[in-house]
């Protein structure tokens, strides 16, 4: 049995988007944000940072932020986080990430970002 056989008169399908086709917004030189389908107080976004880029200011968290490194390598707090790494920044934390190689990260966090 597959999920395709679920008996629903009118199924509610998930929202989907290919990340590279999601609308892109320049955040700062070398940083692009793509908003993904999400709702409520937590939003999903993908950020692409070009090689050699540092986030323009210290990012202070009043709520938790979750990051998954999709590709490349994120550098933060003197540590390297390669593709496949999951990070949980707790409320009250602060950081100013950067990358030498370029990085794509998936971020789940507060709506305002």
């Amino acid at each position: 049995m597959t999920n395709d056989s679920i008996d629903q008169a009118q199924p509610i399908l998930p929202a989907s988007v290919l990340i590279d086709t999601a609308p892109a917004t320049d955040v700062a030189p070398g940083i692009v944000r793509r908003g993904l389908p999400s709702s409520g107080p937590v939003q999903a976004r993908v950020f692409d940072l070009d090689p050699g880029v540092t986030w323009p200011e210290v990012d202070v968290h009043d709520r938790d932020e979750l990051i998954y490194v999709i590709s490349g390598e994120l550098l933060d707090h003197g540590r390297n986080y390669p593709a496949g790494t999951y990070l949980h920044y707790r409320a009250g934390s602060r950081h100013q990430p950067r990358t030498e190689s370029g990085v794509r990260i998936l971020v789940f966090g507060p709506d305002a970002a």
Side-chain angles (χ1 to χ4, degrees):
M1 180 190 284
T2 68
N3 287 340
D4 292 338
S5 66
I6 295 174
D7 184 25
Q8 292 185 17
Q10 294 195 355
I12 298 173
L13 300 176
S16 65
V17 64
L18 292 172
I19 289 173
D20 288 331
T21 65
T25 302
D26 291 330
V27 174
I31 303 174
V32 173
R33 175 182 60 226
R34 296 176 186 275
L36 302 178
S38 50
S39 62
V42 176
Q43 297 296 305
R45 298 173 299 274
V46 168
F47 290 86
D48 292 304
L49 283 73
D50 289 344
V53 168
T54 297
W55 195 257
E57 70 273 338
V58 174
D59 191 17
V60 179
H61 300 283
D62 62 350
R63 293 174 272 175
D64 287 7
E65 181 178 79
L66 312 172
I67 295 177
Y68 178 75
V69 181
I70 296 172
S71 62
E73 185 175 61
L74 188 71
L75 306 171
D76 202 10
H77 294 290
R79 295 184 178 187
N80 301 336
Y81 299 104
T85 301
Y86 169 81
L87 300 129
H88 176 195
Y89 291 95
R90 291 178 177 79
S93 66
R94 56 181 42 224
H95 66 130
Q96 190 172 16
R98 63 185 185 86
T99 182
E100 291 301 319
S101 62
V103 69
R104 172 172 273 186
I105 55 175
L106 174 60
V107 178
F108 296 94
D111 187 16

